[in-house]
Amino acid sequence: MIQKSALSPLFKSGISRKMGNFTLHYFPYLLELKHVFTVASGSRSSTPVVLTALEYEGFVGYGEASMPFYLGESHETVIEFLNKVDLSSFQDPFLLEDILGYIDGIAFLNTAAKASIDIALHDLVGKMMHQPWHKIWGLDPKKAPITSFTIGLDTADRVHQKVIEAEPYKLLKVKLGLGTDKMMIETIRKFTDKPICVDVNQGWKDKQMGLDMAFWLAEKNVVFIEQPMAKERREENAWLTEHSPIPTFGDEAVQRIADVKNAKGIYSGVNIKLMKCTGMREAHKMVNLAKELDLKVMLGCMTETSCAISAASQLAPMADWVDLDGALLISNDIYRGMQVENGRVVLSDSPGIGVESIN
Amino acid sequence: MIQKSALSPLFKSGISRKMGNFTLHYFPYLLELKHVFTVASGSRSSTPVVLTALEYEGFVGYGEASMPFYLGESHETVIEFLNKVDLSSFQDPFLLEDILGYIDGIAFLNTAAKASIDIALHDLVGKMMHQPWHKIWGLDPKKAPITSFTIGLDTADRVHQKVIEAEPYKLLKVKLGLGTDKMMIETIRKFTDKPICVDVNQGWKDKQMGLDMAFWLAEKNVVFIEQPMAKERREENAWLTEHSPIPTFGDEAVQRIADVKNAKGIYSGVNIKLMKCTGMREAHKMVNLAKELDLKVMLGCMTETSCAISAASQLAPMADWVDLDGALLISNDIYRGMQVENGRVVLSDSPGIGVESIN
């Protein structure tokens, strides 16, 4: 039953600040991608993250902020945010609503920085209750769905290599919206007939073209379409959703909980990501709200270590689809947590977010 | 840290059924009211309840079904429902979503019977985590609001006596809708100028009369109106809410979570009661949903022991108003739990729902 543990030595090189009964630790880290990653908005080979740890009475919770460049956060903005955090007025980490309300009020944006505190706090409190969050939330870990595995835009040879690499996965995810959509799908279909989901990242410019593509994709065993057109084009996305033979998901259109209500009638479902929505507490509320509004639920991620991925996976039993391959795409993970077995998310029974440091 | 405890001896006279790793105990009980209680639909001097206990690996959780006659449940219907419950296929009480989904599926109605399992299961799981549910839900117990204290329709002398009895309470609740509304308010105003909230129990028949009353009541320091007209008269309740100087709450109109969405635009807020909504898990979801829809939240109760009252009080820090006086109105409570100090709800730090047997 003893869950107390020493702080991972990785944090010794970072910043440590004692604030009342809490000590917050953080350091910047660069995730190296196994493959250069191309989406509609650009390419990259690494992703900056900031790793956090929160200590309280001998318990340690771990967290993470991941900052793909298009979110507007960087090592500097996250460190600057974390330097402002002062938990000294909170006596008890169980006051999640109050603490995370305070964190959210420090700045208007900085959702990834906020998530790095939210995740560490959940890990800490879960460890103090000796339970993983999927149990605290009353969920059945066996209901976690299969996860998709992303295949970036690339040459036919490299696509073939990635399809082989994706062998354990039951669902492939493909980024579209760069004008090479049919070619990409046809290339993959040379090598496998597994179901595919596509993320257009707002790349389609015309609703009729989008609908034609939706029908074409459905014939190719594509099972849903993420963010087909620009999020501001609400009426056109709604029209596409209404007429599409396969579901649509809002992603860029859905960041915080207020966006869930606004997605009703526009998309079939919402893609919830911890780094967009400030963390596990708001994500849990978003999943519940989406279900009440009869919206489908997808859990997504950025390129992240197993820390943030395992945090998101606690909600997997409530999701219709999960896209939690972020840690699989990097070569320098520093945590062991959520596993994928036969393409399915397997949640850890370990308390909190269920991760351990592997360095 | 040891929360395991022997089953209260009260349950020895009841039914006990072993089902897999669980043992379910239950017995019928009659709550005696300190005062005969009159509402728009009738009078009563006692309320039937069924008390439950759920054992698992040496832990015991307590629950309760309260059945005021207008809900259509009785000792017989609740016992009949509980006789059907079979938890033997569930390995783990933490599977709240699955277990309570199964319970909800046993019959269409029987919400109080369902709540008696939900509450016992929450008490059990909270004890296994060594934490009260307000902490598991991340709430600040200091944010629990004042509770109202109900004064029934009666003679001026008896109303005076009840106002004296209600001395510790900062908010009085009055049942209206029997054609004696102004007289009742004027009688109370002879003895105290404390704020009052009124529950019309669908008693008003005309929206213009209702609006005239709303303005008159607002002048008398009445702070909100519960269920002014019949729940079926949605347009008229909506019109009244739109024009009323004080908020309205749906009560009879709001039973399960699906009713929360439907209350938006009709009432200013919703009155959530465990016995209407099947228990703590759905109530928690309802509170969260109401907040996202900008509806005010009120927590109500039936005439109940401190068991069901303490269960509901775990959500009090999220409520705008609470009306949790059910255990204060009875003379034969068998639990000690939530306390009221200076009119304010004081939550227990004890795990689960925070009650102990007092017999």
Side-chain angles (χ1 to χ4, degrees):
Chain A
M1 282 291 273
I2 293 174
Q3 309 295 350
K4 297 190 183 189
S5 61
L7 177 69
S8 162
L10 288 167
F11 286 88
K12 288 196 176 142
S13 62
I15 300 167
S16 289
R17 290 198 298 118
K18 186 158 169 52
M19 36 184 86
N21 298 324
F22 296 91
T23 306
L24 179 63
H25 310 265
Y26 41 105
F27 69 95
Y29 188 68
L30 205 59
L31 301 184
E32 289 155 18
L33 305 190
K34 291 177 185 167
H35 299 283
V36 173
F37 196 71
T38 303
V39 295
S41 51
S43 296
R44 64 179 195 271
S45 61
S46 68
T47 296
V49 300
V50 171
L51 297 161
T52 60
L54 192 57
E55 275 191 288
Y56 177 89
E57 292 187 353
F59 291 91
V60 182
Y62 293 105
E64 177 177 10
S66 169
M67 301 87 71
F69 64 89
Y70 57 86
L71 278 189
E73 286 189 86
S74 64
H75 278 153
E76 291 69 28
T77 65
V78 172
I79 298 291
E80 187 188 346
F81 182 94
L82 294 175
N83 284 341
K84 289 179 194 161
V85 170
D86 179 3
L87 301 179
S88 57
S89 65
F90 298 100
Q91 293 302 308
D92 187 341
F94 278 89
L95 297 169
L96 285 161
E97 190 76 10
D98 292 358
I99 295 173
L100 296 173
Y102 155 72
I103 293 292
D104 198 23
I106 291 177
F108 182 61
L109 296 170
N110 293 104
T111 54
K114 291 170 184 175
S116 76
I117 298 288
D118 168 282
I119 296 168
L121 190 60
H122 277 82
D123 194 32
L124 177 71
V125 168
K127 284 171 174 166
M128 292 176 75
M129 288 196 268
H130 311 291
Q131 300 295 342
W133 274 93
H134 62 83
K135 285 188 78 168
I136 298 166
W137 282 327
L139 309 177
D140 181 356
K142 294 196 191 71
K143 293 195 171 160
I146 57 170
T147 183
S148 53
F149 185 86
T150 298
I151 294 186
L153 296 173
D154 220 321
T155 62
D157 274 358
R158 290 202 184 162
V159 165
H160 191 187
Q161 183 193 330
K162 288 182 197 171
V163 167
I164 293 167
E165 194 181 319
E167 193 281 324
Y169 299 93
K170 312 290 187 196
L171 176 64
L172 304 179
K173 178 167 173 170
V174 182
K175 301 278 191 173
L176 299 184
L178 284 173
T180 56
D181 295 1
K182 287 189 180 179
M183 189 190 74
M184 185 69 190
I185 299 293
E186 280 165 345
T187 304
I188 293 175
R189 280 285 170 260
K190 284 181 199 164
F191 309 115
T192 177
D193 58 1
K194 281 182 188 175
I196 298 173
C197 57
V198 301
D199 185 355
V200 186
N201 283 123
Q202 315 186 75
W204 291 347
K205 305 303 178 201
D206 177 84
K207 68 178 182 182
Q208 186 60 55
M209 179 283 270
L211 186 61
D212 294 344
M213 271 302 294
F215 276 99
W216 185 87
L217 291 168
E219 278 179 16
K220 301 285 179 192
N221 196 21
V222 168
V223 292
F224 66 81
I225 303 166
E226 240 184 288
Q227 198 62 56
M229 288 176 281
K231 63 180 179 179
E232 295 78 12
R233 298 168 74 175
R234 288 172 53 83
E235 279 183 28
E236 287 155 290
N237 279 304
W239 180 89
L240 179 61
T241 299
E242 190 186 342
H243 295 89
S244 172
I246 51 178
T248 65
F249 280 80
D251 180 12
E252 285 85 343
V254 180
Q255 296 177 15
R256 301 291 301 264
I257 192 166
D259 301 318
V260 174
K261 267 184 293 184
N262 294 332
K264 179 72 183 168
I266 312 296
Y267 306 98
S268 317
V270 290
N271 186 348
I272 296 167
K273 295 176 182 171
L274 300 190
M275 296 302 145
K276 290 191 299 185
C277 77
T278 73
M280 295 169 71
R281 190 165 181 87
E282 187 151 324
H284 182 238
K285 291 181 181 178
M286 289 171 80
V287 174
N288 275 305
L289 178 58
K291 287 184 166 286
E292 291 312 322
L293 299 178
D294 298 316
L295 287 162
K296 290 186 191 298
V297 171
M298 178 179 172
L299 288 177
C301 63
M302 309 299 176
T303 307
E304 299 164 351
T305 72
S306 287
C307 177
I309 293 294
S310 299
S313 75
Q314 302 294 322
L315 284 164
M318 299 181 81
D320 299 292
W321 302 98
V322 303
D323 176 29
L324 294 177
D325 63 353
L328 303 165
L329 304 174
I330 61 173
S331 57
N332 58 343
D333 199 354
I334 59 167
Y335 291 102
R336 185 180 299 113
M338 183 202 93
Q339 299 293 310
V340 178
E341 286 177 18
N342 293 318
R344 192 165 295 279
V345 168
V346 178
L347 293 170
S348 164
D349 271 344
S350 298
I353 61 171
V355 294
E356 53 181 322
S357 176
I358 54 176
N359 272 37
Chain B
M1 280 293 270
I2 293 175
Q3 311 293 349
K4 296 191 183 190
S5 61
L7 178 67
S8 162
L10 289 166
F11 285 86
K12 287 193 176 146
S13 63
I15 300 168
S16 289
R17 291 197 297 120
K18 186 157 168 56
M19 35 185 84
N21 297 325
F22 295 91
T23 306
L24 179 63
H25 310 267
Y26 41 107
F27 69 96
Y29 188 68
L30 204 59
L31 302 183
E32 290 155 17
L33 306 191
K34 291 178 186 167
H35 299 283
V36 173
F37 196 70
T38 303
V39 296
S41 52
S43 295
R44 63 179 197 272
S45 61
S46 69
T47 295
V49 300
V50 171
L51 297 161
T52 59
L54 192 57
E55 277 190 288
Y56 178 89
E57 292 187 353
F59 291 92
V60 182
Y62 293 105
E64 177 177 10
S66 169
M67 302 87 73
F69 64 90
Y70 58 87
L71 278 190
E73 285 189 87
S74 65
H75 278 153
E76 291 69 28
T77 65
V78 172
I79 299 291
E80 189 189 344
F81 182 93
L82 294 175
N83 284 340
K84 290 180 194 160
V85 170
D86 180 3
L87 302 179
S88 58
S89 65
F90 299 100
Q91 294 301 309
D92 186 342
F94 278 89
L95 297 169
L96 285 161
E97 191 76 10
D98 291 359
I99 295 173
L100 296 173
Y102 155 72
I103 293 292
D104 199 23
I106 291 177
F108 181 61
L109 295 170
N110 294 103
T111 53
K114 291 169 183 174
S116 77
I117 299 288
D118 168 283
I119 296 169
L121 190 59
H122 277 82
D123 194 31
L124 177 71
V125 168
K127 284 169 174 166
M128 293 176 75
M129 287 195 269
H130 312 292
Q131 299 295 343
W133 274 92
H134 62 83
K135 285 188 78 167
I136 298 166
W137 283 328
L139 308 178
D140 181 357
K142 293 194 192 73
K143 292 193 173 162
I146 56 171
T147 182
S148 54
F149 184 85
T150 297
I151 294 186
L153 297 173
D154 220 321
T155 61
D157 274 0
R158 290 200 186 163
V159 166
H160 191 187
Q161 184 195 331
K162 287 183 197 169
V163 167
I164 293 166
E165 196 182 316
E167 194 279 324
Y169 300 91
K170 312 290 188 196
L171 176 65
L172 303 179
K173 176 167 175 171
V174 182
K175 301 279 191 171
L176 299 184
L178 283 173
T180 55
D181 294 2
K182 287 191 178 178
M183 190 189 74
M184 186 68 191
I185 299 294
E186 280 166 345
T187 303
I188 293 174
R189 280 287 169 257
K190 283 180 198 164
F191 309 117
T192 178
D193 57 1
K194 281 181 188 175
I196 297 173
C197 57
V198 301
D199 185 355
V200 185
N201 283 124
Q202 315 186 75
W204 292 347
K205 305 304 177 197
D206 178 83
K207 69 178 182 181
Q208 186 59 55
M209 181 283 272
L211 186 60
D212 294 344
M213 271 303 293
F215 275 99
W216 185 86
L217 291 167
E219 277 180 14
K220 300 287 180 188
N221 197 21
V222 168
V223 293
F224 65 81
I225 303 166
E226 239 184 287
Q227 199 63 57
M229 288 177 282
K231 63 180 180 179
E232 295 79 12
R233 299 168 75 176
R234 289 172 51 84
E235 279 183 28
E236 288 155 289
N237 278 305
W239 181 88
L240 179 60
T241 299
E242 190 186 344
H243 294 90
S244 171
I246 51 179
T248 65
F249 280 80
D251 180 12
E252 286 85 344
V254 181
Q255 295 176 18
R256 301 289 303 264
I257 192 166
D259 302 318
V260 174
K261 267 184 290 184
N262 294 332
K264 178 73 182 169
I266 312 295
Y267 305 99
S268 318
V270 291
N271 187 348
I272 297 168
K273 296 177 181 169
L274 300 191
M275 296 301 144
K276 291 191 299 185
C277 77
T278 74
M280 294 170 71
R281 189 163 180 89
E282 185 151 325
H284 183 237
K285 290 181 181 179
M286 289 172 79
V287 173
N288 275 304
L289 178 58
K291 287 182 167 287
E292 291 312 323
L293 299 178
D294 298 317
L295 286 162
K296 290 186 189 300
V297 171
M298 179 178 171
L299 288 176
C301 63
M302 309 299 174
T303 306
E304 299 164 351
T305 72
S306 287
C307 177
I309 294 294
S310 300
S313 75
Q314 302 295 321
L315 285 164
M318 299 180 81
D320 298 294
W321 302 97
V322 304
D323 177 29
L324 293 176
D325 63 354
L328 303 165
L329 304 173
I330 61 173
S331 57
N332 60 342
D333 199 353
I334 59 167
Y335 291 102
R336 187 182 297 113
M338 182 202 94
Q339 299 293 309
V340 178
E341 286 177 18
N342 293 319
R344 191 165 295 281
V345 168
V346 179
L347 293 170
S348 164
D349 271 344
S350 298
I353 61 171
V355 294
E356 53 181 324
S357 176
I358 56 178
N359 273 37

